[in-house]
Amino acid sequence: MQTIRLKTSSTAGERAHPGPGRDLGPLLAGAATAVAGTGALLALTDSGALSRGPLALFFLLAAPAAAIGAALRGLDPPARALTSLAGAVALDMLIAQGMLATHHWSWRGGIVAVAAISVLLLLLVLLRPVERILKRMPRRTGKTRSS
């Protein structure tokens, strides 16, 4: 279920006042990407760093959450964050369960599988938006053919 909000028009004064904190979102996204990439790199190179575990865990949650969050553009931000985080946990558990069921469990394989599925999901969202698919579908009228 999606909450529909009425958006009020912003005044010209709000748009013209670029105060501090306006560009904080992209900065945090870039920092999160760097931390997640570092976690994956430390885990795959089998580094002895103490931060390897927490950073790898951050990667395992952030990579699928970013891919799922990109697909959920229509939701408001708190619902989008919660849903994408829950989807990331579910995806991680499905990958682990699949690897255990096929007797191919390895921590390196798990990180590679999470990265591959996250990139695949993100590419599917970026290359095939729903709007393009719906635009190509023929419009149906409510009339039925009589025989």
Side-chain angles (χ1 to χ4, degrees):
M1 190 161 119
Q2 181 178 354
T3 305
I4 300 173
R5 289 198 210 171
L6 296 176
K7 293 185 179 181
T8 59
S9 62
S10 61
T11 62
E14 290 177 11
R15 279 183 259 136
H17 182 24
R22 293 277 179 163
D23 295 329
L24 194 58
L27 180 67
L28 289 176
T33 303
V35 169
T38 303
L41 186 65
L42 286 175
L44 289 175
T45 58
D46 200 18
S47 172
L50 292 175
S51 60
R52 179 182 69 176
L55 292 180
L57 180 62
F58 182 76
F59 170 76
L60 289 174
L61 289 175
I68 293 170
L72 300 174
R73 307 183 265 239
L75 293 177
D76 55 335
R80 186 176 177 182
L82 184 64
T83 306
S84 61
L85 186 61
V89 170
L91 184 67
D92 288 343
M93 286 194 289
L94 283 172
I95 290 171
Q97 182 67 31
M99 291 177 78
L100 286 171
T102 58
H103 301 289
H104 287 92
W105 171 252
S106 73
W107 53 271
R108 280 190 180 144
I111 290 175
V112 170
V114 167
I117 291 176
S118 298
V119 167
L120 181 66
L121 285 173
L122 191 60
L123 286 177
L124 286 175
V125 169
L126 293 177
L127 295 178
R128 285 299 216 184
V130 175
E131 292 84 20
R132 276 195 221 162
I133 295 170
L134 291 177
K135 201 182 290 185
R136 291 181 185 173
M137 290 178 60
R139 303 261 179 196
R140 293 186 181 185
T141 60
K143 299 177 186 176
T144 58
R145 291 181 11 190
S146 58
S147 4

